[in-house]
Amino acid sequence: MTRSAPLILMAILSLCAATAAIAASAAEPAQRLQRASGLWKVTPATSPFSWEICVDHERDRLIDDDLWSDFEQECTIESQHRDGDSYVFQSSCPGARLAGSFNGDLNKAYTLTADTTMELNGKSEVQRMALTGEFQGACPAGLAPGAKKMRSGMVMKSIYSKR
């Protein structure tokens, strides 16, 4: 009986570790909003400067790539809620609070809206960013995964180099 106790204990610990891993991955959907692989056209609502990005699903991080660079490393998600194709989150970032909402299908089209609140000269200021993404099909030859092609035709190198 004494030899089987450590085996049972190990099995219980393994089950707890697996449950914790599943819970941890479920607790990070904002960091893991990942679009389908292929070419996506991203258009900000308040700017004429749209871009196309060649997405690799495995390395894609929608919020990191198109909203807040280094979101995963710099920000902490304080609350989040998912309901079907909608997702809402609140996070704290260096010097700011970021509240975002996502609606859509990561295989076809989506809308991402975010309010960044920061203190400026003793007053709370809010900057709103809204953008849409539309799947365009396969990436064209010569556009590497993670590369962004700006509306002007300029190509920015892959943002996936750190992943």
Side-chain angles (χ1 to χ4, degrees):
M1 223 28 168
T2 56
R3 287 187 181 193
S4 64
L7 293 176
I8 293 172
L9 182 58
M10 287 177 64
I12 291 171
L13 289 175
S14 294
L15 181 60
C16 289
T19 303
I22 291 168
S25 65
E28 305 180 28
Q31 292 158 280
R32 302 295 177 229
L33 288 175
Q34 295 172 288
R35 296 167 281 201
S37 292
L39 188 67
W40 284 82
K41 181 176 182 180
V42 179
T43 306
T46 58
S47 168
F49 300 106
S50 63
W51 62 88
E52 294 178 327
I53 179 171
C54 181
V55 168
D56 172 10
H57 173 76
E58 293 300 316
R59 295 186 283 177
D60 187 45
R61 302 288 185 269
L62 175 59
I63 293 174
D64 233 52
D65 298 345
D66 290 341
L67 187 60
W68 185 290
S69 182
D70 294 327
F71 178 83
E72 289 186 34
Q73 288 76 34
E74 294 180 355
C75 302
T76 302
I77 296 174
E78 296 176 339
S79 67
Q80 56 193 337
H81 175 73
R82 185 180 292 269
D83 184 14
D85 287 344
S86 297
Y87 173 72
V88 178
F89 69 96
Q90 301 268 340
S91 62
S92 60
C93 302
R97 300 192 50 74
L98 180 65
S101 66
F102 168 89
N103 290 296
D105 183 339
L106 290 164
N107 292 308
K108 296 176 186 173
Y110 63 86
T111 301
L112 180 63
T113 305
D115 289 330
T116 304
T117 306
M118 60 199 104
E119 292 294 319
L120 189 60
N121 297 326
K123 291 171 50 177
S124 190
E125 297 287 331
V126 178
Q127 180 181 24
R128 174 159 279 215
M129 170 81 153
L131 50 89
T132 59
E134 294 180 35
F135 185 70
Q136 303 293 299
C139 292
L143 192 62
K148 289 184 178 182
K149 182 177 179 183
M150 307 311 286
R151 182 175 164 197
S152 66
M154 180 179 75
V155 176
M156 299 174 68
K157 69 179 184 174
S158 177
I159 54 178
Y160 295 157
S161 61
K162 297 178 187 175
R163 296 184 198 148

